[in-house]
Amino acid sequence: MIKFVLMVNRQGQTRLSRYYHSVELSRRAALEADVVRYCLSRKKDQCSFVEYKDFKLVYRQYAALYIVVGITDSENELSIYELVHNFVEVLDKYFSRVIMFNLDRVHIILDEIIQNGHIVETNKSRILAPLTTIDKMVDS
Amino acid sequence: MALPRMPAPIRLRELIRTIRTARTQAEEREMIQKECAAIRSSFREEDNTYRCRNVAKLLYMHMLGYPAHFGQLECLKLIASQKFTDKRIGYLGAMLLLDERQDVHLLMTNCIKNDLNHSTQYVQGLALCTLGCMGSSEMCRDLAGEVEKLLKTSNSYLRKKAALCAVHVIRKVPELMEMFLPATKNLLSEKNHGVLHTSVVLLTEMCERSPDMLAHFRKNEKLVPQLVRILKNLIMSGYSPEHDVSGISDPFLQVRILRLLRILGKGDDDSSEAMNDILAQVATNTETSKNVGNAILYETVLTIMDIKSESGLRVLAINILGRFLLNNDKNIRYVALTSLLKTVQTDHNAVQRHRSTIVDCLKDLDVSIKRRAMELSFALVNGNNIRGMMKELLYFLDSCDPEFKADCASGVFLAAEKYAPSKRWHIDTIMRVLTTAGSYVRDDSVPNLIQLITNSVEMHAYTVQRLYKALLDDISQQPLVQVASWCIGEYGDLLVSGQCEEEEPIQVTEDEVLDVLEGLLVSNLSTPVTRGYALTAIMKLSTRFTSVNRIKKVVSIYGSSIDVELQQRAVEYNALFKKYDHMRPALLERMPIMEKTASNGPTEIVQTNGEAEPSVVEAKHPPPVTQPTNQANDLLDLLGGNDVVPVIQTTVPTKPASAGGELLDLLGDLSLSGIPPMTAYNKNGLKIDFTFERANPNPNIAVITIHASNSTEADMTDFVFQAAVPKTFQLQLLSPSSNVVPTLNQGTVTQVIRVLNPQKQQLRMRIKLTYTHKGSAVQDLAEVNNFPPQSWQ
């Protein structure tokens, strides 16, 4: 299962964090800093999977942003790698420009894709359906 | 009267923008505190309009690591509101801020219950999502019924969420699993992929948790054929824009189904057979040019290896992995190595075929890949490929990162021990490891190596020569230095006499050797342990070299060393030179062959640590046991067998593993302790007297000195005295002073026996005497029963 999803920039600042198992607030900062350090220190020709403590990290870089997903050993790493890309494509479809100012929307989208550590939906239009409904409600 | 209204709180995106402009942590903290204060006062005013906005901002600040607990109750208020936008943020806040440990979350139960029955599906979805994320056991128990109802609805949006919520409920309250069983019957006939996906997850969870469920699904529900059918449709159907990812139809679902098939097929012949075809089909038809295809193939391979598949399929799977290894994409290579590691035990031969590719991966730049390749290489080493593999692995050891060196070194030692083609190769390999990664080897490798070297008798000269040369080069790697100094101490005579057969013998003088050892003592690079080894080695050379004076000088200098360990050793060795010089040759003799520690008996006295010096440090290492353990047991063996002789003669070593103090006991308390001597044997002119001492502080040890005298007119030559005691005793026989008993009582042969008598039983002994007298061999057995009571009480 998926343990957490993080989006961090090159300076190590967390832009998005979602945990699917309980991690105390005090340890989150340390965890995020650690994870970022691992991912940032890797070169371009190294593989995208890192072993970290008792789980694995799958990371992908998009421009200045790193998306890191922490998974347990039982999960298929290549599949999660695809999932990250799927997630980014969905975000791309919805947000025409910079996404980070609408953090609550991103959370909503993430909730439609991953629930409770497992994948719920991968079809882009179905993921975005509730969000478009909300938007219509807000506008009206 | 209305209070003056505060300005409307800023939106979330304004806040984010502002905070991003902060240049230092302090600045950011200041901004956040200001905003927090504003939010708090807004909450106090019970402002409904902007609550949603404020909580959203609070969530952002929480993500940055600032405390946000004062917003918890506000989340509840949002959930209870009728507006969807409020509910949305409220539930999100609940998922992010609340968990089971807060009491507040129980208040949510009622809201969730109502929302599960709400008219809008999105609200129901929210409730399901939140319940499935952080519902406690009580909440789950309360609301399981609602979830189960939603699992049967025709609304696919809700159904998929209900399935995952059910997974959470089952995790929290396993007894409720039965409840969801009926609802699962129709789940797989859905067309909606979201529902299919989450249903597979639910079924997986149920099968993993309960073997009964697993059996049920296998037999009654005919789950396997259903899954096979779905998978087939996915593969065979043409392009479907809804779920296409790079040309493959819903790879996520395929992967999930394959995983469930794995669980169903594991250990079950029928199920495995039913899925053989589809697995073969997936394995051969999947497009491998993109990552998606490879993800599916990876899962397929894992499934094939886990179930009871036929051999053709297994070979197919391993070949796929072999192809992965050659792929340019690092991720794929990593994944292949991981899977091969899992299968190398069961399908060893098939994996061997890819050995050269695996070994090439040792040279990869990526750390994860290198580690995997190393583990796999060690698993693939066998008697046939040991030479080639070891070459590669040693080369790897040379050039790898420090984090690998310890593991690699241990792996090399293990492999060398199991498959070494020759002793010389073994020793060469070990030396190579010590010289390249000497500081990374584990602590227990030093005694293991010493034991190995001792046991390869014919290689002693070669080994000591090579170690000596290595010392000349570099004295910084402690394990190497320790092994080398031990060997020089033991086999220094071979070194100096230039006896090496295996390679060109080097010319080395005694002084040069002593120079090197003394150099170790004074060097800053040497640890205290190493210094101990060096001093002992020097001491041992006193019986092998002729320049004893120099050694005496060195030893006496260290008698005043600051290091307590060295000082103690030096003082004891000094004592050996002075008062107990007659014991020195015996004590410092060559080591006999050691056995592995597995055969240790419970007592400590006889169990020596194989070292001739009474050192505390060596006692830490598991003491290899020498032959003496045998003698205590076999009364009959001793008297029957002739080959026991050399063993008893050469066992010198002294001390129990406890403390160096024992040696002093042995040497220090040789004064007669008031026990009367006795005559043990008197026949044919040979008289043997026993005199007694007690070794303080251990009153269980009796020290007996035999005095053999000869009253006939001819010498008794080749005199050998042997003794055996009953099982409850332990016996140790030290070397005799000589084996000629001179004629006409002109002198005596003395020999020391130490008897351990823990149960304070009556001492009895059987002795065997052999000697040559007037040209003929004489042998005699006798029982000694007249021990004075004080000797064993």
mmCIF file of all heavy atoms in Angstrom, chain A residues 15 42 45-48 51 76-77 82 102 111-112 116 118 120-121 123 126 134, chain B residues 20 63 84 88 132 160-161 164 171 242 291 295 298-299 330-331 334 366 372:
data_model
loop_
_atom_site.group_PDB
_atom_site.id
_atom_site.type_symbol
_atom_site.label_atom_id
_atom_site.label_comp_id
_atom_site.label_asym_id
_atom_site.label_seq_id
_atom_site.Cartn_x
_atom_site.Cartn_y
_atom_site.Cartn_z
ATOM 1 N N ARG A 15 5.562 21.138 -0.641
ATOM 2 C CA ARG A 15 4.458 21.832 -1.273
ATOM 3 C C ARG A 15 3.156 21.093 -1.051
ATOM 4 O O ARG A 15 2.090 21.672 -1.126
ATOM 5 C CB ARG A 15 4.725 21.955 -2.777
ATOM 6 C CG ARG A 15 5.890 22.836 -3.089
ATOM 7 C CD ARG A 15 5.500 24.276 -2.933
ATOM 8 N NE ARG A 15 6.617 25.164 -3.170
ATOM 9 C CZ ARG A 15 6.999 26.102 -2.319
ATOM 10 N NH1 ARG A 15 6.379 26.257 -1.181
ATOM 11 N NH2 ARG A 15 8.007 26.887 -2.616
ATOM 12 N N ARG A 42 20.374 12.192 -5.842
ATOM 13 C CA ARG A 42 20.552 11.195 -6.880
ATOM 14 C C ARG A 42 20.720 11.850 -8.236
ATOM 15 O O ARG A 42 20.080 12.834 -8.547
ATOM 16 C CB ARG A 42 19.350 10.251 -6.888
ATOM 17 C CG ARG A 42 19.397 9.370 -5.673
ATOM 18 C CD ARG A 42 18.123 8.625 -5.513
ATOM 19 N NE ARG A 42 18.050 7.446 -6.342
ATOM 20 C CZ ARG A 42 18.696 6.307 -6.109
ATOM 21 N NH1 ARG A 42 19.484 6.214 -5.077
ATOM 22 N NH2 ARG A 42 18.550 5.280 -6.902
ATOM 23 N N ASP A 45 20.993 9.595 -13.989
ATOM 24 C CA ASP A 45 20.999 8.244 -14.554
ATOM 25 C C ASP A 45 20.859 7.159 -13.501
ATOM 26 O O ASP A 45 21.198 6.016 -13.722
ATOM 27 C CB ASP A 45 22.291 8.028 -15.365
ATOM 28 C CG ASP A 45 23.517 8.353 -14.534
ATOM 29 O OD1 ASP A 45 23.350 8.792 -13.382
ATOM 30 O OD2 ASP A 45 24.633 8.179 -15.033
ATOM 31 N N GLN A 46 20.379 7.537 -12.355
ATOM 32 C CA GLN A 46 20.151 6.512 -11.353
ATOM 33 C C GLN A 46 18.683 6.160 -11.319
ATOM 34 O O GLN A 46 17.841 6.948 -11.698
ATOM 35 C CB GLN A 46 20.583 7.020 -9.979
ATOM 36 C CG GLN A 46 22.085 7.062 -9.858
ATOM 37 C CD GLN A 46 22.499 7.574 -8.511
ATOM 38 O OE1 GLN A 46 22.047 8.608 -8.084
ATOM 39 N NE2 GLN A 46 23.345 6.858 -7.832
ATOM 40 N N CYS A 47 18.385 4.987 -10.798
ATOM 41 C CA CYS A 47 17.007 4.549 -10.885
ATOM 42 C C CYS A 47 16.122 5.270 -9.881
ATOM 43 O O CYS A 47 16.596 5.834 -8.902
ATOM 44 C CB CYS A 47 16.905 3.037 -10.718
ATOM 45 S SG CYS A 47 16.868 2.459 -9.047
ATOM 46 N N SER A 48 14.834 5.280 -10.152
ATOM 47 C CA SER A 48 13.916 6.113 -9.387
ATOM 48 C C SER A 48 13.409 5.465 -8.125
ATOM 49 O O SER A 48 12.477 5.970 -7.515
ATOM 50 C CB SER A 48 12.711 6.464 -10.254
ATOM 51 O OG SER A 48 13.116 6.774 -11.533
ATOM 52 N N GLU A 51 15.592 2.590 -1.456
ATOM 53 C CA GLU A 51 15.151 1.905 -0.245
ATOM 54 C C GLU A 51 15.370 2.821 0.938
ATOM 55 O O GLU A 51 16.461 3.326 1.156
ATOM 56 C CB GLU A 51 15.949 0.635 -0.025
ATOM 57 C CG GLU A 51 15.373 -0.551 -0.709
ATOM 58 C CD GLU A 51 16.456 -1.266 -1.446
ATOM 59 O OE1 GLU A 51 17.576 -1.261 -0.939
ATOM 60 O OE2 GLU A 51 16.184 -1.776 -2.535
ATOM 61 N N ASN A 76 3.970 -2.843 -6.456
ATOM 62 C CA ASN A 76 4.726 -2.916 -7.692
ATOM 63 C C ASN A 76 5.289 -1.531 -8.013
ATOM 64 O O ASN A 76 4.549 -0.595 -8.297
ATOM 65 C CB ASN A 76 3.771 -3.375 -8.806
ATOM 66 C CG ASN A 76 4.461 -3.526 -10.141
ATOM 67 O OD1 ASN A 76 5.436 -2.847 -10.447
ATOM 68 N ND2 ASN A 76 3.931 -4.418 -10.952
ATOM 69 N N GLU A 77 6.624 -1.404 -7.961
ATOM 70 C CA GLU A 77 7.223 -0.078 -8.095
ATOM 71 C C GLU A 77 6.965 0.557 -9.459
ATOM 72 O O GLU A 77 6.747 1.761 -9.560
ATOM 73 C CB GLU A 77 8.747 -0.150 -7.917
ATOM 74 C CG GLU A 77 9.219 -0.684 -6.595
ATOM 75 C CD GLU A 77 9.518 -2.168 -6.668
ATOM 76 O OE1 GLU A 77 8.832 -2.857 -7.435
ATOM 77 O OE2 GLU A 77 10.427 -2.608 -5.967
ATOM 78 N N GLU A 82 4.059 4.726 -12.806
ATOM 79 C CA GLU A 82 3.052 5.138 -13.771
ATOM 80 C C GLU A 82 1.970 5.986 -13.118
ATOM 81 O O GLU A 82 1.458 6.937 -13.706
ATOM 82 C CB GLU A 82 2.383 3.909 -14.403
ATOM 83 C CG GLU A 82 3.192 3.275 -15.502
ATOM 84 C CD GLU A 82 3.484 4.240 -16.620
ATOM 85 O OE1 GLU A 82 2.559 4.929 -17.094
ATOM 86 O OE2 GLU A 82 4.652 4.316 -17.032
ATOM 87 N N ASN A 102 -3.665 26.565 -5.170
ATOM 88 C CA ASN A 102 -4.974 25.984 -4.882
ATOM 89 C C ASN A 102 -4.796 24.633 -4.237
ATOM 90 O O ASN A 102 -5.197 23.599 -4.762
ATOM 91 C CB ASN A 102 -5.768 25.821 -6.176
ATOM 92 C CG ASN A 102 -6.364 27.116 -6.610
ATOM 93 O OD1 ASN A 102 -7.072 27.755 -5.843
ATOM 94 N ND2 ASN A 102 -6.069 27.520 -7.820
ATOM 95 N N ASP A 111 -7.515 12.807 -3.353
ATOM 96 C CA ASP A 111 -8.466 11.923 -2.684
ATOM 97 C C ASP A 111 -9.234 11.060 -3.656
ATOM 98 O O ASP A 111 -9.647 9.950 -3.331
ATOM 99 C CB ASP A 111 -9.469 12.733 -1.869
ATOM 100 C CG ASP A 111 -8.976 12.953 -0.464
ATOM 101 O OD1 ASP A 111 -8.052 12.224 -0.065
ATOM 102 O OD2 ASP A 111 -9.502 13.844 0.211
ATOM 103 N N GLU A 112 -9.439 11.606 -4.858
ATOM 104 C CA GLU A 112 -10.176 10.813 -5.835
ATOM 105 C C GLU A 112 -9.305 9.720 -6.447
ATOM 106 O O GLU A 112 -9.809 8.732 -6.969
ATOM 107 C CB GLU A 112 -10.704 11.718 -6.956
ATOM 108 C CG GLU A 112 -11.809 12.661 -6.513
ATOM 109 C CD GLU A 112 -13.071 11.922 -6.109
ATOM 110 O OE1 GLU A 112 -13.430 10.941 -6.788
ATOM 111 O OE2 GLU A 112 -13.695 12.331 -5.127
ATOM 112 N N ASN A 116 -6.999 5.822 1.255
ATOM 113 C CA ASN A 116 -6.626 4.816 2.233
ATOM 114 C C ASN A 116 -5.402 4.010 1.818
ATOM 115 O O ASN A 116 -5.237 2.863 2.198
ATOM 116 C CB ASN A 116 -7.828 3.861 2.384
ATOM 117 C CG ASN A 116 -7.806 3.172 3.709
ATOM 118 O OD1 ASN A 116 -7.110 3.587 4.599
ATOM 119 N ND2 ASN A 116 -8.553 2.090 3.797
ATOM 120 N N HIS A 118 -4.699 2.955 -1.204
ATOM 121 C CA HIS A 118 -4.887 2.161 -2.421
ATOM 122 C C HIS A 118 -5.441 3.017 -3.552
ATOM 123 O O HIS A 118 -6.044 4.049 -3.314
ATOM 124 C CB HIS A 118 -5.877 1.028 -2.160
ATOM 125 C CG HIS A 118 -5.352 0.019 -1.194
ATOM 126 N ND1 HIS A 118 -4.385 -0.883 -1.533
ATOM 127 C CD2 HIS A 118 -5.640 -0.200 0.097
ATOM 128 C CE1 HIS A 118 -4.116 -1.635 -0.477
ATOM 129 N NE2 HIS A 118 -4.857 -1.239 0.527
ATOM 130 N N VAL A 120 -7.935 4.263 -6.243
ATOM 131 C CA VAL A 120 -9.385 4.202 -6.422
ATOM 132 C C VAL A 120 -9.769 4.323 -7.886
ATOM 133 O O VAL A 120 -10.552 3.566 -8.409
ATOM 134 C CB VAL A 120 -10.071 5.339 -5.634
ATOM 135 C CG1 VAL A 120 -11.548 5.333 -5.884
ATOM 136 C CG2 VAL A 120 -9.781 5.187 -4.178
ATOM 137 N N GLU A 121 -9.211 5.342 -8.530
ATOM 138 C CA GLU A 121 -9.660 5.641 -9.887
ATOM 139 C C GLU A 121 -8.485 6.153 -10.672
ATOM 140 O O GLU A 121 -7.666 6.915 -10.157
ATOM 141 C CB GLU A 121 -10.754 6.719 -9.803
ATOM 142 C CG GLU A 121 -11.353 7.109 -11.139
ATOM 143 C CD GLU A 121 -12.134 5.980 -11.777
ATOM 144 O OE1 GLU A 121 -13.147 5.577 -11.199
ATOM 145 O OE2 GLU A 121 -11.710 5.494 -12.847
ATOM 146 N N ASN A 123 -9.065 6.939 -14.190
ATOM 147 C CA ASN A 123 -9.608 7.590 -15.370
ATOM 148 C C ASN A 123 -9.704 9.086 -15.109
ATOM 149 O O ASN A 123 -10.368 9.536 -14.178
ATOM 150 C CB ASN A 123 -11.001 7.007 -15.641
ATOM 151 C CG ASN A 123 -11.643 7.632 -16.838
ATOM 152 O OD1 ASN A 123 -11.754 8.856 -16.943
ATOM 153 N ND2 ASN A 123 -12.068 6.814 -17.763
ATOM 154 N N ARG A 126 -13.177 10.884 -14.801
ATOM 155 C CA ARG A 126 -13.955 10.520 -13.607
ATOM 156 C C ARG A 126 -13.346 11.122 -12.359
ATOM 157 O O ARG A 126 -14.032 11.459 -11.411
ATOM 158 C CB ARG A 126 -14.014 9.001 -13.455
ATOM 159 C CG ARG A 126 -14.863 8.397 -14.509
ATOM 160 C CD ARG A 126 -15.623 7.177 -14.027
ATOM 161 N NE ARG A 126 -15.942 6.394 -15.202
ATOM 162 C CZ ARG A 126 -15.305 5.289 -15.546
ATOM 163 N NH1 ARG A 126 -14.380 4.794 -14.785
ATOM 164 N NH2 ARG A 126 -15.625 4.669 -16.665
ATOM 165 N N ILE A 134 -18.151 20.854 -8.060
ATOM 166 C CA ILE A 134 -17.943 21.857 -7.009
ATOM 167 C C ILE A 134 -17.760 23.227 -7.625
ATOM 168 O O ILE A 134 -18.311 24.222 -7.163
ATOM 169 C CB ILE A 134 -16.699 21.507 -6.163
ATOM 170 C CG1 ILE A 134 -16.916 20.214 -5.409
ATOM 171 C CG2 ILE A 134 -16.390 22.626 -5.199
ATOM 172 C CD1 ILE A 134 -15.759 19.837 -4.542
ATOM 173 N N ARG B 20 5.187 32.579 0.593
ATOM 174 C CA ARG B 20 6.299 32.268 -0.308
ATOM 175 C C ARG B 20 7.290 33.397 -0.413
ATOM 176 O O ARG B 20 8.430 33.187 -0.790
ATOM 177 C CB ARG B 20 5.751 31.948 -1.692
ATOM 178 C CG ARG B 20 4.931 30.711 -1.702
ATOM 179 C CD ARG B 20 5.616 29.625 -2.468
ATOM 180 N NE ARG B 20 4.692 29.086 -3.439
ATOM 181 C CZ ARG B 20 5.018 28.342 -4.447
ATOM 182 N NH1 ARG B 20 6.262 28.039 -4.663
ATOM 183 N NH2 ARG B 20 4.116 27.900 -5.272
ATOM 184 N N MET B 63 0.349 21.788 7.272
ATOM 185 C CA MET B 63 1.256 21.056 6.396
ATOM 186 C C MET B 63 2.681 21.566 6.530
ATOM 187 O O MET B 63 3.643 20.817 6.407
ATOM 188 C CB MET B 63 0.784 21.204 4.953
ATOM 189 C CG MET B 63 1.602 20.381 3.987
ATOM 190 S SD MET B 63 1.192 20.761 2.311
ATOM 191 C CE MET B 63 2.223 22.169 2.015
ATOM 192 N N PHE B 84 -22.043 22.308 0.564
ATOM 193 C CA PHE B 84 -21.094 21.294 0.116
ATOM 194 C C PHE B 84 -19.669 21.762 0.255
ATOM 195 O O PHE B 84 -18.783 20.994 0.648
ATOM 196 C CB PHE B 84 -21.382 20.917 -1.346
ATOM 197 C CG PHE B 84 -20.441 19.860 -1.861
ATOM 198 C CD1 PHE B 84 -20.457 18.580 -1.331
ATOM 199 C CD2 PHE B 84 -19.505 20.159 -2.837
ATOM 200 C CE1 PHE B 84 -19.581 17.615 -1.775
ATOM 201 C CE2 PHE B 84 -18.636 19.183 -3.286
ATOM 202 C CZ PHE B 84 -18.664 17.915 -2.766
ATOM 203 N N ARG B 88 -16.875 19.807 2.304
ATOM 204 C CA ARG B 88 -15.666 19.353 1.626
ATOM 205 C C ARG B 88 -14.433 19.688 2.455
ATOM 206 O O ARG B 88 -13.586 18.842 2.723
ATOM 207 C CB ARG B 88 -15.600 20.011 0.247
ATOM 208 C CG ARG B 88 -14.353 19.739 -0.547
ATOM 209 C CD ARG B 88 -14.210 18.340 -0.944
ATOM 210 N NE ARG B 88 -13.154 17.700 -0.172
ATOM 211 C CZ ARG B 88 -12.689 16.500 -0.383
ATOM 212 N NH1 ARG B 88 -13.177 15.772 -1.346
ATOM 213 N NH2 ARG B 88 -11.741 16.001 0.353
ATOM 214 N N GLY B 132 -13.297 5.809 5.694
ATOM 215 C CA GLY B 132 -12.290 4.829 5.322
ATOM 216 C C GLY B 132 -10.886 5.280 5.643
ATOM 217 O O GLY B 132 -9.953 4.486 5.672
ATOM 218 N N LYS B 160 -17.376 2.161 -5.705
ATOM 219 C CA LYS B 160 -15.922 1.998 -5.622
ATOM 220 C C LYS B 160 -15.403 2.531 -4.303
ATOM 221 O O LYS B 160 -14.504 1.963 -3.691
ATOM 222 C CB LYS B 160 -15.246 2.680 -6.810
ATOM 223 C CG LYS B 160 -15.268 4.180 -6.780
ATOM 224 C CD LYS B 160 -14.667 4.760 -8.052
ATOM 225 C CE LYS B 160 -14.625 6.284 -7.921
ATOM 226 N NZ LYS B 160 -14.428 6.977 -9.153
ATOM 227 N N LYS B 161 -15.995 3.627 -3.848
ATOM 228 C CA LYS B 161 -15.538 4.172 -2.575
ATOM 229 C C LYS B 161 -15.959 3.282 -1.418
ATOM 230 O O LYS B 161 -15.217 3.134 -0.447
ATOM 231 C CB LYS B 161 -16.090 5.578 -2.380
ATOM 232 C CG LYS B 161 -15.458 6.548 -3.338
ATOM 233 C CD LYS B 161 -15.735 7.975 -2.962
ATOM 234 C CE LYS B 161 -15.171 8.873 -4.018
ATOM 235 N NZ LYS B 161 -14.052 9.656 -3.555
ATOM 236 N N LEU B 164 -13.452 0.423 -0.857
ATOM 237 C CA LEU B 164 -12.240 0.754 -0.110
ATOM 238 C C LEU B 164 -12.552 1.054 1.349
ATOM 239 O O LEU B 164 -11.756 0.771 2.233
ATOM 240 C CB LEU B 164 -11.518 1.923 -0.755
ATOM 241 C CG LEU B 164 -10.723 1.529 -1.990
ATOM 242 C CD1 LEU B 164 -9.961 2.702 -2.524
ATOM 243 C CD2 LEU B 164 -9.763 0.412 -1.653
ATOM 244 N N ARG B 171 -10.102 -4.032 8.335
ATOM 245 C CA ARG B 171 -8.820 -3.936 9.044
ATOM 246 C C ARG B 171 -9.032 -3.599 10.504
ATOM 247 O O ARG B 171 -8.340 -4.102 11.375
ATOM 248 C CB ARG B 171 -7.962 -2.849 8.424
ATOM 249 C CG ARG B 171 -7.268 -3.308 7.217
ATOM 250 C CD ARG B 171 -5.988 -2.556 6.961
ATOM 251 N NE ARG B 171 -5.625 -2.843 5.576
ATOM 252 C CZ ARG B 171 -5.424 -1.910 4.660
ATOM 253 N NH1 ARG B 171 -5.507 -0.654 4.989
ATOM 254 N NH2 ARG B 171 -5.127 -2.259 3.443
ATOM 255 N N GLU B 242 -10.882 5.304 -22.674
ATOM 256 C CA GLU B 242 -11.137 5.596 -21.258
ATOM 257 C C GLU B 242 -9.970 5.227 -20.369
ATOM 258 O O GLU B 242 -9.636 5.923 -19.429
ATOM 259 C CB GLU B 242 -12.358 4.792 -20.797
ATOM 260 C CG GLU B 242 -13.640 5.465 -21.133
ATOM 261 C CD GLU B 242 -14.774 4.931 -20.276
ATOM 262 O OE1 GLU B 242 -14.574 3.911 -19.589
ATOM 263 O OE2 GLU B 242 -15.842 5.543 -20.300
ATOM 264 N N ASN B 291 7.249 1.732 -20.227
ATOM 265 C CA ASN B 291 7.297 1.328 -18.823
ATOM 266 C C ASN B 291 6.039 0.589 -18.374
ATOM 267 O O ASN B 291 6.085 -0.349 -17.587
ATOM 268 C CB ASN B 291 7.476 2.566 -17.944
ATOM 269 C CG ASN B 291 7.634 2.212 -16.485
ATOM 270 O OD1 ASN B 291 8.467 1.402 -16.119
ATOM 271 N ND2 ASN B 291 6.804 2.787 -15.643
ATOM 272 N N ALA B 295 5.734 -2.884 -16.361
ATOM 273 C CA ALA B 295 5.123 -2.999 -15.036
ATOM 274 C C ALA B 295 4.244 -4.241 -14.976
ATOM 275 O O ALA B 295 4.255 -4.998 -14.003
ATOM 276 C CB ALA B 295 4.301 -1.752 -14.720
ATOM 277 N N TYR B 298 6.384 -7.385 -14.996
ATOM 278 C CA TYR B 298 6.991 -7.577 -13.682
ATOM 279 C C TYR B 298 6.026 -8.282 -12.743
ATOM 280 O O TYR B 298 6.366 -9.262 -12.081
ATOM 281 C CB TYR B 298 7.386 -6.200 -13.150
ATOM 282 C CG TYR B 298 7.942 -6.176 -11.751
ATOM 283 C CD1 TYR B 298 8.784 -7.168 -11.283
ATOM 284 C CD2 TYR B 298 7.636 -5.127 -10.902
ATOM 285 C CE1 TYR B 298 9.302 -7.115 -10.003
ATOM 286 C CE2 TYR B 298 8.154 -5.064 -9.624
ATOM 287 C CZ TYR B 298 8.977 -6.055 -9.180
ATOM 288 O OH TYR B 298 9.480 -5.993 -7.915
ATOM 289 N N GLU B 299 4.791 -7.784 -12.723
ATOM 290 C CA GLU B 299 3.808 -8.403 -11.840
ATOM 291 C C GLU B 299 3.532 -9.840 -12.273
ATOM 292 O O GLU B 299 3.366 -10.731 -11.444
ATOM 293 C CB GLU B 299 2.518 -7.582 -11.857
ATOM 294 C CG GLU B 299 1.588 -7.875 -10.731
ATOM 295 C CD GLU B 299 2.067 -7.322 -9.407
ATOM 296 O OE1 GLU B 299 2.688 -6.231 -9.418
ATOM 297 O OE2 GLU B 299 1.855 -7.968 -8.387
ATOM 298 N N LYS B 330 17.105 2.070 -15.983
ATOM 299 C CA LYS B 330 17.627 1.621 -14.698
ATOM 300 C C LYS B 330 16.554 1.000 -13.825
ATOM 301 O O LYS B 330 16.798 0.052 -13.092
ATOM 302 C CB LYS B 330 18.172 2.805 -13.914
ATOM 303 C CG LYS B 330 19.211 3.559 -14.608
ATOM 304 C CD LYS B 330 20.542 3.194 -14.075
ATOM 305 C CE LYS B 330 21.617 3.620 -15.008
ATOM 306 N NZ LYS B 330 22.908 3.338 -14.491
ATOM 307 N N ASN B 331 15.384 1.602 -13.855
ATOM 308 C CA ASN B 331 14.324 1.106 -12.994
ATOM 309 C C ASN B 331 14.049 -0.351 -13.279
ATOM 310 O O ASN B 331 13.849 -1.158 -12.386
ATOM 311 C CB ASN B 331 13.043 1.904 -13.217
ATOM 312 C CG ASN B 331 13.223 3.352 -12.853
ATOM 313 O OD1 ASN B 331 14.102 3.677 -12.074
ATOM 314 N ND2 ASN B 331 12.417 4.213 -13.424
ATOM 315 N N TYR B 334 16.763 -2.616 -11.952
ATOM 316 C CA TYR B 334 16.634 -2.755 -10.498
ATOM 317 C C TYR B 334 15.550 -3.754 -10.136
ATOM 318 O O TYR B 334 15.734 -4.638 -9.312
ATOM 319 C CB TYR B 334 16.305 -1.391 -9.905
ATOM 320 C CG TYR B 334 15.916 -1.435 -8.466
ATOM 321 C CD1 TYR B 334 16.874 -1.461 -7.472
ATOM 322 C CD2 TYR B 334 14.582 -1.468 -8.103
ATOM 323 C CE1 TYR B 334 16.512 -1.506 -6.153
ATOM 324 C CE2 TYR B 334 14.216 -1.510 -6.778
ATOM 325 C CZ TYR B 334 15.186 -1.527 -5.813
ATOM 326 O OH TYR B 334 14.823 -1.581 -4.499
ATOM 327 N N ASP B 366 24.495 2.985 -10.183
ATOM 328 C CA ASP B 366 23.437 3.208 -9.198
ATOM 329 C C ASP B 366 23.650 2.355 -7.954
ATOM 330 O O ASP B 366 23.902 1.169 -8.038
ATOM 331 C CB ASP B 366 22.097 2.867 -9.870
ATOM 332 C CG ASP B 366 20.946 3.159 -8.957
ATOM 333 O OD1 ASP B 366 20.782 2.451 -7.947
ATOM 334 O OD2 ASP B 366 20.220 4.110 -9.239
ATOM 335 N N ARG B 372 21.912 -4.822 -4.984
ATOM 336 C CA ARG B 372 21.175 -6.005 -5.413
ATOM 337 C C ARG B 372 22.065 -6.981 -6.142
ATOM 338 O O ARG B 372 22.009 -8.189 -5.946
ATOM 339 C CB ARG B 372 20.044 -5.596 -6.360
ATOM 340 C CG ARG B 372 18.906 -4.927 -5.715
ATOM 341 C CD ARG B 372 17.924 -5.968 -5.230
ATOM 342 N NE ARG B 372 16.798 -5.372 -4.582
ATOM 343 C CZ ARG B 372 16.805 -4.951 -3.339
ATOM 344 N NH1 ARG B 372 17.886 -5.035 -2.619
ATOM 345 N NH2 ARG B 372 15.728 -4.426 -2.816
#
